[in-house]
PDB file of all heavy atoms in Angstrom:
ATOM      1  N   LEU A 126      20.281 -18.271 -52.929  1.00 91.00           N
ATOM      2  CA  LEU A 126      19.414 -17.513 -52.032  1.00 91.00           C
ATOM      3  C   LEU A 126      17.962 -17.637 -52.476  1.00 91.00           C
ATOM      4  O   LEU A 126      17.679 -17.681 -53.678  1.00 91.00           O
ATOM      5  CB  LEU A 126      19.827 -16.045 -52.036  1.00 91.00           C
ATOM      6  CG  LEU A 126      21.219 -15.751 -51.491  1.00 91.00           C
ATOM      7  CD1 LEU A 126      21.611 -14.319 -51.778  1.00 91.00           C
ATOM      8  CD2 LEU A 126      21.288 -16.039 -50.002  1.00 91.00           C
ATOM      9  N   PRO A 127      17.033 -17.664 -51.512  1.00 90.00           N
ATOM     10  CA  PRO A 127      15.607 -17.704 -51.875  1.00 90.00           C
ATOM     11  C   PRO A 127      15.217 -16.489 -52.716  1.00 90.00           C
ATOM     12  O   PRO A 127      15.803 -15.410 -52.581  1.00 90.00           O
ATOM     13  CB  PRO A 127      14.897 -17.679 -50.519  1.00 90.00           C
ATOM     14  CG  PRO A 127      15.917 -18.144 -49.523  1.00 90.00           C
ATOM     15  CD  PRO A 127      17.248 -17.717 -50.073  1.00 90.00           C
ATOM     16  N   ALA A 128      14.215 -16.646 -53.540  1.00 88.00           N
ATOM     17  CA  ALA A 128      13.788 -15.598 -54.481  1.00 88.00           C
ATOM     18  C   ALA A 128      13.420 -14.293 -53.791  1.00 88.00           C
ATOM     19  O   ALA A 128      13.666 -13.216 -54.332  1.00 88.00           O
ATOM     20  CB  ALA A 128      12.617 -16.100 -55.315  1.00 88.00           C
ATOM     21  N   GLU A 129      12.842 -14.335 -52.603  1.00 93.00           N
ATOM     22  CA  GLU A 129      12.366 -13.122 -51.933  1.00 93.00           C
ATOM     23  C   GLU A 129      13.453 -12.395 -51.142  1.00 93.00           C
ATOM     24  O   GLU A 129      13.184 -11.388 -50.502  1.00 93.00           O
ATOM     25  CB  GLU A 129      11.188 -13.462 -51.013  1.00 93.00           C
ATOM     26  CG  GLU A 129      11.551 -14.304 -49.795  1.00 93.00           C
ATOM     27  CD  GLU A 129      11.708 -15.799 -50.060  1.00 93.00           C
ATOM     28  OE1 GLU A 129      11.466 -16.256 -51.192  1.00 93.00           O
ATOM     29  OE2 GLU A 129      12.111 -16.515 -49.125  1.00 93.00           O
ATOM     30  N   THR A 130      14.678 -12.860 -51.180  1.00 95.00           N
ATOM     31  CA  THR A 130      15.778 -12.278 -50.399  1.00 95.00           C
ATOM     32  C   THR A 130      16.094 -10.863 -50.869  1.00 95.00           C
ATOM     33  O   THR A 130      16.155 -10.587 -52.064  1.00 95.00           O
ATOM     34  CB  THR A 130      17.044 -13.148 -50.528  1.00 95.00           C
ATOM     35  OG1 THR A 130      16.730 -14.466 -50.106  1.00 95.00           O
ATOM     36  CG2 THR A 130      18.188 -12.591 -49.698  1.00 95.00           C
ATOM     37  N   THR A 131      16.324  -9.965 -49.901  1.00 97.00           N
ATOM     38  CA  THR A 131      16.821  -8.611 -50.155  1.00 97.00           C
ATOM     39  C   THR A 131      17.902  -8.328 -49.128  1.00 97.00           C
ATOM     40  O   THR A 131      17.722  -8.614 -47.944  1.00 97.00           O
ATOM     41  CB  THR A 131      15.693  -7.566 -50.021  1.00 97.00           C
ATOM     42  OG1 THR A 131      14.656  -7.880 -50.941  1.00 97.00           O
ATOM     43  CG2 THR A 131      16.206  -6.170 -50.319  1.00 97.00           C
ATOM     44  N   ILE A 132      19.003  -7.762 -49.564  1.00 98.00           N
ATOM     45  CA  ILE A 132      20.108  -7.455 -48.650  1.00 98.00           C
ATOM     46  C   ILE A 132      20.163  -5.964 -48.362  1.00 98.00           C
ATOM     47  O   ILE A 132      19.556  -5.159 -49.082  1.00 98.00           O
ATOM     48  CB  ILE A 132      21.461  -7.950 -49.198  1.00 98.00           C
ATOM     49  CG1 ILE A 132      21.861  -7.188 -50.464  1.00 98.00           C
ATOM     50  CG2 ILE A 132      21.419  -9.450 -49.441  1.00 98.00           C
ATOM     51  CD1 ILE A 132      23.309  -7.390 -50.870  1.00 98.00           C
ATOM     52  N   ASP A 133      20.916  -5.591 -47.303  1.00 98.00           N
ATOM     53  CA  ASP A 133      21.078  -4.172 -46.985  1.00 98.00           C
ATOM     54  C   ASP A 133      22.541  -3.772 -46.799  1.00 98.00           C
ATOM     55  O   ASP A 133      22.847  -2.621 -46.547  1.00 98.00           O
ATOM     56  CB  ASP A 133      20.262  -3.790 -45.747  1.00 98.00           C
ATOM     57  CG  ASP A 133      20.585  -4.620 -44.512  1.00 98.00           C
ATOM     58  OD1 ASP A 133      21.702  -5.168 -44.412  1.00 98.00           O
ATOM     59  OD2 ASP A 133      19.702  -4.729 -43.638  1.00 98.00           O
ATOM     60  N   ARG A 134      23.457  -4.743 -46.928  1.00 98.00           N
ATOM     61  CA  ARG A 134      24.884  -4.432 -46.750  1.00 98.00           C
ATOM     62  C   ARG A 134      25.736  -5.442 -47.504  1.00 98.00           C
ATOM     63  O   ARG A 134      25.455  -6.632 -47.505  1.00 98.00           O
ATOM     64  CB  ARG A 134      25.237  -4.460 -45.268  1.00 98.00           C
ATOM     65  CG  ARG A 134      26.646  -4.026 -44.943  1.00 98.00           C
ATOM     66  CD  ARG A 134      26.819  -3.906 -43.424  1.00 98.00           C
ATOM     67  NE  ARG A 134      28.073  -3.275 -43.076  1.00 98.00           N
ATOM     68  CZ  ARG A 134      28.294  -1.976 -43.039  1.00 98.00           C
ATOM     69  NH1 ARG A 134      27.323  -1.138 -43.321  1.00 98.00           N
ATOM     70  NH2 ARG A 134      29.476  -1.495 -42.707  1.00 98.00           N
ATOM     71  N   ILE A 135      26.799  -4.926 -48.111  1.00 98.00           N
ATOM     72  CA  ILE A 135      27.819  -5.743 -48.760  1.00 98.00           C
ATOM     73  C   ILE A 135      29.145  -5.381 -48.102  1.00 98.00           C
ATOM     74  O   ILE A 135      29.472  -4.195 -47.972  1.00 98.00           O
ATOM     75  CB  ILE A 135      27.899  -5.452 -50.277  1.00 98.00           C
ATOM     76  CG1 ILE A 135      26.587  -5.819 -50.972  1.00 98.00           C
ATOM     77  CG2 ILE A 135      29.090  -6.163 -50.915  1.00 98.00           C
ATOM     78  CD1 ILE A 135      26.491  -5.347 -52.421  1.00 98.00           C
ATOM     79  N   VAL A 136      29.899  -6.387 -47.691  1.00 98.00           N
ATOM     80  CA  VAL A 136      31.230  -6.158 -47.116  1.00 98.00           C
ATOM     81  C   VAL A 136      32.246  -6.897 -47.968  1.00 98.00           C
ATOM     82  O   VAL A 136      32.140  -8.107 -48.156  1.00 98.00           O
ATOM     83  CB  VAL A 136      31.314  -6.628 -45.645  1.00 98.00           C
ATOM     84  CG1 VAL A 136      32.741  -6.495 -45.122  1.00 98.00           C
ATOM     85  CG2 VAL A 136      30.337  -5.845 -44.777  1.00 98.00           C
ATOM     86  N   VAL A 137      33.216  -6.156 -48.488  1.00 98.00           N
ATOM     87  CA  VAL A 137      34.302  -6.728 -49.276  1.00 98.00           C
ATOM     88  C   VAL A 137      35.565  -6.697 -48.423  1.00 98.00           C
ATOM     89  O   VAL A 137      35.978  -5.627 -47.968  1.00 98.00           O
ATOM     90  CB  VAL A 137      34.528  -5.938 -50.590  1.00 98.00           C
ATOM     91  CG1 VAL A 137      35.752  -6.454 -51.325  1.00 98.00           C
ATOM     92  CG2 VAL A 137      33.285  -5.993 -51.466  1.00 98.00           C
ATOM     93  N   GLU A 138      36.138  -7.865 -48.193  1.00 98.00           N
ATOM     94  CA  GLU A 138      37.403  -7.976 -47.482  1.00 98.00           C
ATOM     95  C   GLU A 138      38.463  -8.258 -48.537  1.00 98.00           C
ATOM     96  O   GLU A 138      38.609  -9.386 -49.000  1.00 98.00           O
ATOM     97  CB  GLU A 138      37.336  -9.100 -46.452  1.00 98.00           C
ATOM     98  CG  GLU A 138      36.293  -8.852 -45.379  1.00 98.00           C
ATOM     99  CD  GLU A 138      36.007 -10.098 -44.576  1.00 98.00           C
ATOM    100  OE1 GLU A 138      36.711 -10.300 -43.561  1.00 98.00           O
ATOM    101  OE2 GLU A 138      35.108 -10.862 -44.969  1.00 98.00           O
ATOM    102  N   LYS A 139      39.186  -7.203 -48.921  1.00 98.00           N
ATOM    103  CA  LYS A 139      40.127  -7.311 -50.037  1.00 98.00           C
ATOM    104  C   LYS A 139      41.209  -8.354 -49.781  1.00 98.00           C
ATOM    105  O   LYS A 139      41.498  -9.161 -50.657  1.00 98.00           O
ATOM    106  CB  LYS A 139      40.742  -5.941 -50.339  1.00 98.00           C
ATOM    107  CG  LYS A 139      39.756  -4.954 -50.928  1.00 98.00           C
ATOM    108  CD  LYS A 139      40.300  -3.544 -51.057  1.00 98.00           C
ATOM    109  CE  LYS A 139      41.678  -3.441 -51.612  1.00 98.00           C
ATOM    110  NZ  LYS A 139      42.150  -2.062 -51.797  1.00 98.00           N
ATOM    111  N   SER A 140      41.811  -8.341 -48.609  1.00 97.00           N
ATOM    112  CA  SER A 140      42.928  -9.257 -48.343  1.00 97.00           C
ATOM    113  C   SER A 140      42.490 -10.715 -48.376  1.00 97.00           C
ATOM    114  O   SER A 140      43.283 -11.590 -48.712  1.00 97.00           O
ATOM    115  CB  SER A 140      43.588  -8.931 -47.010  1.00 97.00           C
ATOM    116  OG  SER A 140      42.646  -9.064 -45.958  1.00 97.00           O
ATOM    117  N   ALA A 141      41.236 -10.987 -48.050  1.00 97.00           N
ATOM    118  CA  ALA A 141      40.714 -12.356 -48.063  1.00 97.00           C
ATOM    119  C   ALA A 141      40.055 -12.699 -49.402  1.00 97.00           C
ATOM    120  O   ALA A 141      39.637 -13.847 -49.589  1.00 97.00           O
ATOM    121  CB  ALA A 141      39.707 -12.542 -46.931  1.00 97.00           C
ATOM    122  N   ARG A 142      39.942 -11.720 -50.312  1.00 98.00           N
ATOM    123  CA  ARG A 142      39.261 -11.907 -51.602  1.00 98.00           C
ATOM    124  C   ARG A 142      37.855 -12.475 -51.362  1.00 98.00           C
ATOM    125  O   ARG A 142      37.459 -13.473 -51.919  1.00 98.00           O
ATOM    126  CB  ARG A 142      40.027 -12.818 -52.557  1.00 98.00           C
ATOM    127  CG  ARG A 142      41.451 -12.414 -52.867  1.00 98.00           C
ATOM    128  CD  ARG A 142      41.518 -11.039 -53.518  1.00 98.00           C
ATOM    129  NE  ARG A 142      42.846 -10.699 -53.978  1.00 98.00           N
ATOM    130  CZ  ARG A 142      43.799 -10.164 -53.204  1.00 98.00           C
ATOM    131  NH1 ARG A 142      43.591  -9.955 -51.929  1.00 98.00           N
ATOM    132  NH2 ARG A 142      44.961  -9.845 -53.709  1.00 98.00           N
ATOM    133  N   ARG A 143      37.100 -11.760 -50.488  1.00 98.00           N
ATOM    134  CA  ARG A 143      35.807 -12.253 -50.063  1.00 98.00           C
ATOM    135  C   ARG A 143      34.784 -11.116 -50.059  1.00 98.00           C
ATOM    136  O   ARG A 143      35.069 -10.022 -49.581  1.00 98.00           O
ATOM    137  CB  ARG A 143      35.961 -12.834 -48.653  1.00 98.00           C
ATOM    138  CG  ARG A 143      34.777 -13.476 -48.072  1.00 98.00           C
ATOM    139  CD  ARG A 143      35.100 -14.240 -46.805  1.00 98.00           C
ATOM    140  NE  ARG A 143      35.901 -13.475 -45.860  1.00 98.00           N
ATOM    141  CZ  ARG A 143      36.839 -14.012 -45.083  1.00 98.00           C
ATOM    142  NH1 ARG A 143      37.113 -15.285 -45.127  1.00 98.00           N
ATOM    143  NH2 ARG A 143      37.518 -13.261 -44.240  1.00 98.00           N
ATOM    144  N   LEU A 144      33.591 -11.380 -50.600  1.00 98.00           N
ATOM    145  CA  LEU A 144      32.461 -10.460 -50.568  1.00 98.00           C
ATOM    146  C   LEU A 144      31.344 -11.160 -49.806  1.00 98.00           C
ATOM    147  O   LEU A 144      30.935 -12.259 -50.187  1.00 98.00           O
ATOM    148  CB  LEU A 144      32.010 -10.114 -51.989  1.00 98.00           C
ATOM    149  CG  LEU A 144      30.844  -9.140 -52.156  1.00 98.00           C
ATOM    150  CD1 LEU A 144      30.971  -8.399 -53.491  1.00 98.00           C
ATOM    151  CD2 LEU A 144      29.495  -9.822 -52.083  1.00 98.00           C
ATOM    152  N   SER A 145      30.872 -10.538 -48.725  1.00 98.00           N
ATOM    153  CA  SER A 145      29.796 -11.108 -47.916  1.00 98.00           C
ATOM    154  C   SER A 145      28.587 -10.190 -47.991  1.00 98.00           C
ATOM    155  O   SER A 145      28.729  -8.963 -48.064  1.00 98.00           O
ATOM    156  CB  SER A 145      30.230 -11.265 -46.454  1.00 98.00           C
ATOM    157  OG  SER A 145      31.344 -12.115 -46.358  1.00 98.00           O
ATOM    158  N   ILE A 146      27.404 -10.796 -47.950  1.00 98.00           N
ATOM    159  CA  ILE A 146      26.166 -10.014 -47.999  1.00 98.00           C
ATOM    160  C   ILE A 146      25.376 -10.243 -46.714  1.00 98.00           C
ATOM    161  O   ILE A 146      25.392 -11.331 -46.138  1.00 98.00           O
ATOM    162  CB  ILE A 146      25.336 -10.342 -49.252  1.00 98.00           C
ATOM    163  CG1 ILE A 146      24.993 -11.822 -49.342  1.00 98.00           C
ATOM    164  CG2 ILE A 146      26.076  -9.857 -50.507  1.00 98.00           C
ATOM    165  CD1 ILE A 146      24.081 -12.178 -50.525  1.00 98.00           C
ATOM    166  N   PHE A 147      24.682  -9.168 -46.281  1.00 98.00           N
ATOM    167  CA  PHE A 147      24.007  -9.167 -44.996  1.00 98.00           C
ATOM    168  C   PHE A 147      22.589  -8.605 -45.120  1.00 98.00           C
ATOM    169  O   PHE A 147      22.329  -7.748 -45.960  1.00 98.00           O
ATOM    170  CB  PHE A 147      24.758  -8.272 -43.998  1.00 98.00           C
ATOM    171  CG  PHE A 147      26.138  -8.733 -43.683  1.00 98.00           C
ATOM    172  CD1 PHE A 147      27.200  -8.466 -44.550  1.00 98.00           C
ATOM    173  CD2 PHE A 147      26.396  -9.427 -42.515  1.00 98.00           C
ATOM    174  CE1 PHE A 147      28.485  -8.882 -44.246  1.00 98.00           C
ATOM    175  CE2 PHE A 147      27.684  -9.845 -42.205  1.00 98.00           C
ATOM    176  CZ  PHE A 147      28.727  -9.578 -43.069  1.00 98.00           C
ATOM    177  N   THR A 148      21.729  -9.061 -44.226  1.00 97.00           N
ATOM    178  CA  THR A 148      20.409  -8.482 -43.999  1.00 97.00           C
ATOM    179  C   THR A 148      20.249  -8.332 -42.498  1.00 97.00           C
ATOM    180  O   THR A 148      20.422  -9.305 -41.756  1.00 97.00           O
ATOM    181  CB  THR A 148      19.289  -9.381 -44.553  1.00 97.00           C
ATOM    182  OG1 THR A 148      19.416  -9.464 -45.968  1.00 97.00           O
ATOM    183  CG2 THR A 148      17.915  -8.828 -44.228  1.00 97.00           C
ATOM    184  N   ASP A 149      19.943  -7.108 -42.055  1.00 97.00           N
ATOM    185  CA  ASP A 149      19.750  -6.832 -40.623  1.00 97.00           C
ATOM    186  C   ASP A 149      20.902  -7.377 -39.773  1.00 97.00           C
ATOM    187  O   ASP A 149      20.674  -7.976 -38.717  1.00 97.00           O
ATOM    188  CB  ASP A 149      18.418  -7.417 -40.139  1.00 97.00           C
ATOM    189  CG  ASP A 149      17.223  -6.769 -40.828  1.00 97.00           C
ATOM    190  OD1 ASP A 149      17.300  -5.555 -41.104  1.00 97.00           O
ATOM    191  OD2 ASP A 149      16.231  -7.472 -41.083  1.00 97.00           O
ATOM    192  N   GLY A 150      22.125  -7.223 -40.235  1.00 96.00           N
ATOM    193  CA  GLY A 150      23.296  -7.651 -39.483  1.00 96.00           C
ATOM    194  C   GLY A 150      23.606  -9.137 -39.560  1.00 96.00           C
ATOM    195  O   GLY A 150      24.610  -9.589 -39.016  1.00 96.00           O
ATOM    196  N   LYS A 151      22.776  -9.899 -40.227  1.00 97.00           N
ATOM    197  CA  LYS A 151      22.987 -11.347 -40.334  1.00 97.00           C
ATOM    198  C   LYS A 151      23.638 -11.675 -41.676  1.00 97.00           C
ATOM    199  O   LYS A 151      23.117 -11.313 -42.731  1.00 97.00           O
ATOM    200  CB  LYS A 151      21.653 -12.079 -40.227  1.00 97.00           C
ATOM    201  CG  LYS A 151      21.792 -13.577 -40.327  1.00 97.00           C
ATOM    202  CD  LYS A 151      20.439 -14.277 -40.263  1.00 97.00           C
ATOM    203  CE  LYS A 151      20.664 -15.762 -40.451  1.00 97.00           C
ATOM    204  NZ  LYS A 151      19.596 -16.399 -41.168  1.00 97.00           N
ATOM    205  N   LYS A 152      24.787 -12.369 -41.620  1.00 98.00           N
ATOM    206  CA  LYS A 152      25.470 -12.756 -42.851  1.00 98.00           C
ATOM    207  C   LYS A 152      24.654 -13.843 -43.546  1.00 98.00           C
ATOM    208  O   LYS A 152      24.315 -14.863 -42.954  1.00 98.00           O
ATOM    209  CB  LYS A 152      26.874 -13.271 -42.560  1.00 98.00           C
ATOM    210  CG  LYS A 152      27.667 -13.563 -43.836  1.00 98.00           C
ATOM    211  CD  LYS A 152      29.003 -14.229 -43.576  1.00 98.00           C
ATOM    212  CE  LYS A 152      29.947 -13.317 -42.879  1.00 98.00           C
ATOM    213  NZ  LYS A 152      31.321 -13.902 -42.791  1.00 98.00           N
ATOM    214  N   LEU A 153      24.346 -13.604 -44.827  1.00 97.00           N
ATOM    215  CA  LEU A 153      23.576 -14.569 -45.612  1.00 97.00           C
ATOM    216  C   LEU A 153      24.451 -15.463 -46.467  1.00 97.00           C
ATOM    217  O   LEU A 153      24.139 -16.634 -46.663  1.00 97.00           O
ATOM    218  CB  LEU A 153      22.570 -13.849 -46.522  1.00 97.00           C
ATOM    219  CG  LEU A 153      21.525 -12.980 -45.847  1.00 97.00           C
ATOM    220  CD1 LEU A 153      20.637 -12.345 -46.898  1.00 97.00           C
ATOM    221  CD2 LEU A 153      20.715 -13.792 -44.857  1.00 97.00           C
ATOM    222  N   LYS A 154      25.521 -14.879 -47.016  1.00 97.00           N
ATOM    223  CA  LYS A 154      26.315 -15.639 -47.977  1.00 97.00           C
ATOM    224  C   LYS A 154      27.644 -14.928 -48.203  1.00 97.00           C
ATOM    225  O   LYS A 154      27.747 -13.713 -48.047  1.00 97.00           O
ATOM    226  CB  LYS A 154      25.552 -15.741 -49.302  1.00 97.00           C
ATOM    227  CG  LYS A 154      26.160 -16.695 -50.299  1.00 97.00           C
ATOM    228  CD  LYS A 154      25.185 -16.967 -51.429  1.00 97.00           C
ATOM    229  CE  LYS A 154      25.760 -18.011 -52.362  1.00 97.00           C
ATOM    230  NZ  LYS A 154      24.821 -18.359 -53.407  1.00 97.00           N
ATOM    231  N   THR A 155      28.637 -15.701 -48.613  1.00 97.00           N
ATOM    232  CA  THR A 155      29.949 -15.165 -48.953  1.00 97.00           C
ATOM    233  C   THR A 155      30.356 -15.684 -50.324  1.00 97.00           C
ATOM    234  O   THR A 155      30.114 -16.842 -50.646  1.00 97.00           O
ATOM    235  CB  THR A 155      30.992 -15.588 -47.896  1.00 97.00           C
ATOM    236  OG1 THR A 155      30.596 -15.036 -46.633  1.00 97.00           O
ATOM    237  CG2 THR A 155      32.373 -15.084 -48.240  1.00 97.00           C
ATOM    238  N   TYR A 156      30.951 -14.808 -51.125  1.00 97.00           N
ATOM    239  CA  TYR A 156      31.447 -15.148 -52.458  1.00 97.00           C
ATOM    240  C   TYR A 156      32.949 -14.914 -52.500  1.00 97.00           C
ATOM    241  O   TYR A 156      33.456 -13.985 -51.875  1.00 97.00           O
ATOM    242  CB  TYR A 156      30.812 -14.259 -53.533  1.00 97.00           C
ATOM    243  CG  TYR A 156      29.315 -14.256 -53.577  1.00 97.00           C
ATOM    244  CD1 TYR A 156      28.571 -13.339 -52.842  1.00 97.00           C
ATOM    245  CD2 TYR A 156      28.627 -15.155 -54.385  1.00 97.00           C
ATOM    246  CE1 TYR A 156      27.190 -13.309 -52.909  1.00 97.00           C
ATOM    247  CE2 TYR A 156      27.241 -15.144 -54.458  1.00 97.00           C
ATOM    248  CZ  TYR A 156      26.529 -14.213 -53.713  1.00 97.00           C
ATOM    249  OH  TYR A 156      25.163 -14.191 -53.775  1.00 97.00           O
ATOM    250  N   ARG A 157      33.662 -15.689 -53.280  1.00 97.00           N
ATOM    251  CA  ARG A 157      35.074 -15.432 -53.561  1.00 97.00           C
ATOM    252  C   ARG A 157      35.141 -14.480 -54.754  1.00 97.00           C
ATOM    253  O   ARG A 157      34.340 -14.605 -55.686  1.00 97.00           O
ATOM    254  CB  ARG A 157      35.794 -16.742 -53.836  1.00 97.00           C
ATOM    255  CG  ARG A 157      35.891 -17.579 -52.550  1.00 97.00           C
ATOM    256  CD  ARG A 157      36.564 -18.922 -52.724  1.00 97.00           C
ATOM    257  NE  ARG A 157      37.703 -18.862 -53.596  1.00 97.00           N
ATOM    258  CZ  ARG A 157      37.965 -19.787 -54.537  1.00 97.00           C
ATOM    259  NH1 ARG A 157      37.171 -20.812 -54.715  1.00 97.00           N
ATOM    260  NH2 ARG A 157      39.033 -19.670 -55.276  1.00 97.00           N
ATOM    261  N   ILE A 158      36.107 -13.572 -54.745  1.00 98.00           N
ATOM    262  CA  ILE A 158      36.159 -12.502 -55.734  1.00 98.00           C
ATOM    263  C   ILE A 158      37.557 -12.311 -56.310  1.00 98.00           C
ATOM    264  O   ILE A 158      38.536 -12.801 -55.769  1.00 98.00           O
ATOM    265  CB  ILE A 158      35.704 -11.156 -55.105  1.00 98.00           C
ATOM    266  CG1 ILE A 158      36.580 -10.803 -53.893  1.00 98.00           C
ATOM    267  CG2 ILE A 158      34.232 -11.209 -54.732  1.00 98.00           C
ATOM    268  CD1 ILE A 158      36.368  -9.428 -53.326  1.00 98.00           C
ATOM    269  N   ALA A 159      37.621 -11.554 -57.394  1.00 98.00           N
ATOM    270  CA  ALA A 159      38.869 -11.015 -57.931  1.00 98.00           C
ATOM    271  C   ALA A 159      38.782  -9.495 -57.815  1.00 98.00           C
ATOM    272  O   ALA A 159      37.695  -8.919 -57.863  1.00 98.00           O
ATOM    273  CB  ALA A 159      39.066 -11.435 -59.383  1.00 98.00           C
ATOM    274  N   LEU A 160      39.926  -8.850 -57.678  1.00 97.00           N
ATOM    275  CA  LEU A 160      40.002  -7.400 -57.490  1.00 97.00           C
ATOM    276  C   LEU A 160      40.811  -6.751 -58.607  1.00 97.00           C
ATOM    277  O   LEU A 160      41.166  -7.385 -59.591  1.00 97.00           O
ATOM    278  CB  LEU A 160      40.661  -7.102 -56.141  1.00 97.00           C
ATOM    279  CG  LEU A 160      39.953  -7.626 -54.904  1.00 97.00           C
ATOM    280  CD1 LEU A 160      40.840  -7.479 -53.679  1.00 97.00           C
ATOM    281  CD2 LEU A 160      38.636  -6.912 -54.700  1.00 97.00           C
ATOM    282  N   GLY A 161      41.144  -5.468 -58.376  1.00 94.00           N
ATOM    283  CA  GLY A 161      42.021  -4.754 -59.292  1.00 94.00           C
ATOM    284  C   GLY A 161      43.398  -5.393 -59.339  1.00 94.00           C
ATOM    285  O   GLY A 161      43.837  -6.027 -58.376  1.00 94.00           O
ATOM    286  N   ARG A 162      44.094  -5.200 -60.430  1.00 95.00           N
ATOM    287  CA  ARG A 162      45.397  -5.852 -60.646  1.00 95.00           C
ATOM    288  C   ARG A 162      46.467  -5.441 -59.635  1.00 95.00           C
ATOM    289  O   ARG A 162      47.492  -6.091 -59.515  1.00 95.00           O
ATOM    290  CB  ARG A 162      45.895  -5.557 -62.061  1.00 95.00           C
ATOM    291  CG  ARG A 162      45.121  -6.293 -63.127  1.00 95.00           C
ATOM    292  CD  ARG A 162      45.728  -6.062 -64.490  1.00 95.00           C
ATOM    293  NE  ARG A 162      45.430  -4.747 -65.000  1.00 95.00           N
ATOM    294  CZ  ARG A 162      44.475  -4.484 -65.885  1.00 95.00           C
ATOM    295  NH1 ARG A 162      43.740  -5.445 -66.365  1.00 95.00           N
ATOM    296  NH2 ARG A 162      44.274  -3.259 -66.290  1.00 95.00           N
ATOM    297  N   ASN A 163      46.239  -4.349 -58.919  1.00 93.00           N
ATOM    298  CA  ASN A 163      47.183  -3.858 -57.915  1.00 93.00           C
ATOM    299  C   ASN A 163      46.402  -3.702 -56.605  1.00 93.00           C
ATOM    300  O   ASN A 163      46.131  -2.589 -56.167  1.00 93.00           O
ATOM    301  CB  ASN A 163      47.754  -2.517 -58.401  1.00 93.00           C
ATOM    302  CG  ASN A 163      48.864  -2.004 -57.533  1.00 93.00           C
ATOM    303  OD1 ASN A 163      49.432  -2.726 -56.732  1.00 93.00           O
ATOM    304  ND2 ASN A 163      49.163  -0.723 -57.674  1.00 93.00           N
ATOM    305  N   PRO A 164      46.046  -4.808 -55.956  1.00 91.00           N
ATOM    306  CA  PRO A 164      45.024  -4.761 -54.905  1.00 91.00           C
ATOM    307  C   PRO A 164      45.452  -4.248 -53.537  1.00 91.00           C
ATOM    308  O   PRO A 164      44.599  -3.941 -52.715  1.00 91.00           O
ATOM    309  CB  PRO A 164      44.589  -6.222 -54.794  1.00 91.00           C
ATOM    310  CG  PRO A 164      45.803  -6.987 -55.161  1.00 91.00           C
ATOM    311  CD  PRO A 164      46.484  -6.172 -56.226  1.00 91.00           C
ATOM    312  N   ILE A 165      46.736  -4.130 -53.264  1.00 93.00           N
ATOM    313  CA  ILE A 165      47.179  -3.719 -51.931  1.00 93.00           C
ATOM    314  C   ILE A 165      47.036  -2.206 -51.793  1.00 93.00           C
ATOM    315  O   ILE A 165      47.551  -1.441 -52.604  1.00 93.00           O
ATOM    316  CB  ILE A 165      48.643  -4.136 -51.669  1.00 93.00           C
ATOM    317  CG1 ILE A 165      48.849  -5.628 -51.916  1.00 93.00           C
ATOM    318  CG2 ILE A 165      49.074  -3.740 -50.261  1.00 93.00           C
ATOM    319  CD1 ILE A 165      48.032  -6.540 -51.047  1.00 93.00           C
ATOM    320  N   GLY A 166      46.342  -1.785 -50.740  1.00 93.00           N
ATOM    321  CA  GLY A 166      46.148  -0.360 -50.474  1.00 93.00           C
ATOM    322  C   GLY A 166      44.896   0.183 -51.142  1.00 93.00           C
ATOM    323  O   GLY A 166      44.297  -0.447 -52.008  1.00 93.00           O
ATOM    324  N   ALA A 167      44.502   1.365 -50.686  1.00 94.00           N
ATOM    325  CA  ALA A 167      43.292   2.020 -51.190  1.00 94.00           C
ATOM    326  C   ALA A 167      43.560   2.709 -52.524  1.00 94.00           C
ATOM    327  O   ALA A 167      44.684   3.142 -52.792  1.00 94.00           O
ATOM    328  CB  ALA A 167      42.803   3.045 -50.178  1.00 94.00           C
TER     329      ALA A 167
END
């Protein structure tokens, strides 16, 4: 991401193991993630 980037929202989709970042509703980037050892359910 460019140095001046600032985000306003992070969305984690647990089942997809994906974290996406947004600015003004526009998706900027997605990362692959690891979760808790027992990830199903809240």
Side-chain angles (χ1 to χ4, degrees):
L126 296 170
E129 68 280 356
T130 303
T131 301
I132 66 166
D133 56 24
R134 186 172 190 83
I135 297 170
V136 175
V137 174
E138 298 166 89
K139 291 172 45 177
S140 60
R142 304 300 187 276
R143 184 169 48 215
L144 181 152
S145 300
I146 57 176
F147 297 80
T148 296
D149 297 325
K151 180 182 177 214
K152 185 187 293 188
L153 300 179
K154 190 167 185 176
T155 298
Y156 304 91
R157 291 179 40 223
I158 58 171
L160 299 170
R162 288 185 285 260
N163 187 16
I165 306 299

